[in-house]
């Protein structure tokens, strides 16, 4: 069976990244930690049901056919989303437990990673690449 490379149009990925950044900043400014539940829920829905409501909504605003945009690798985006969900989960749980330092660290990490990705450098991609290199080297040594 031939494996196909799935892709996601870049504007949809950017919309999701902006949603994370805005949600974290809104949480910091308002003190309403429940705002983190929105990007967390979107991320979980994307990971478990392949349905990210942020991307689905953003898709309605695409001016061109999705294939006409720069493609982002869906598998890489899933990896990045796992990292985002972990950071958002730890952040939200930390807020609820009143562990403010941990909450700020994890929400800052996810917001910074998303913002840096918007600017053009994908931290999750770098981490995944390094992990794949490590696994390749480890496998070739045996």
């Amino acid at each position: 069976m031939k494996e196909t490379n799935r892709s996601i149009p870049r504007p949809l990925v950017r919309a999701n990244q902006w949603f994370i950044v805005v949600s974290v900043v809104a949480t910091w400014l308002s003190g309403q930690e429940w705002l983190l539940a929105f990007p967390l829920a979107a991320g979980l829905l994307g990971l478990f049901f392949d349905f990210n409501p942020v991307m689905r909504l953003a898709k309605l605003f695409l001016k061109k056919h999705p294939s006409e945009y720069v493609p982002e690798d869906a598998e890489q985006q899933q990896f990045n989303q796992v990292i985002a969900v972990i950071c958002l989960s730890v952040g939200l749980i930390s807020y609820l437990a009143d562990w403010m330092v941990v909450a700020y660290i994890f929400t800052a990490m996810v917001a910074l990673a998303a913002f840096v990705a918007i600017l053009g450098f994908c931290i999750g991609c770098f981490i995944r690449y390094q992990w794949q290199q490590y696994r390749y080297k480890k496998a070739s040594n045996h």
Side-chain angles (χ1 to χ4, degrees):
M1 182 194 308
K2 184 182 177 196
E3 186 176 316
T4 59
N5 287 338
R6 293 183 323 130
S7 65
I8 303 169
R10 183 172 286 165
L12 303 184
V13 174
R14 292 290 189 261
N16 191 56
Q17 292 163 336
W18 274 115
F19 187 64
I20 291 170
V21 171
V22 169
S23 297
V24 169
V25 172
T27 298
W28 292 342
L29 295 176
S30 70
Q32 303 296 312
E33 63 271 353
W34 58 268
L35 293 172
L36 293 176
F38 293 111
L40 177 57
L44 288 169
L45 286 168
L47 290 175
F48 291 115
F49 301 107
D50 201 25
F51 176 83
N52 183 312
V54 174
M55 290 187 185
R56 285 291 166 98
L57 180 62
K59 190 175 186 177
L60 298 174
F61 296 95
L62 292 179
K63 294 185 189 314
K64 301 184 279 187
H65 188 273
S67 65
E68 295 181 57
Y69 291 97
V70 174
E72 297 281 350
D73 181 59
E75 193 174 311
Q76 178 64 58
Q77 295 310 312
Q78 288 287 91
F79 180 85
N80 296 345
Q81 195 66 50
V82 167
I83 295 170
V85 162
I86 290 169
C87 289
L88 289 166
S89 296
V90 173
L92 181 57
I93 291 166
S94 298
Y95 272 115
L96 296 174
D98 206 28
W99 301 336
M100 300 311 283
V101 172
V102 176
Y104 279 111
I105 288 171
F106 278 86
T107 57
M109 285 193 312
V110 72
L112 183 62
F115 188 69
V116 169
I118 291 165
L119 296 177
F121 180 76
C122 176
I123 295 169
C125 301
F126 178 77
I127 292 169
R128 183 169 178 241
Y129 175 77
Q130 294 301 320
W131 175 249
Q132 289 175 328
Q133 289 297 309
Y134 168 77
R135 286 182 32 206
Y136 173 77
K137 288 177 186 176
K138 186 176 178 184
S140 63
N141 286 338
H142 288 114

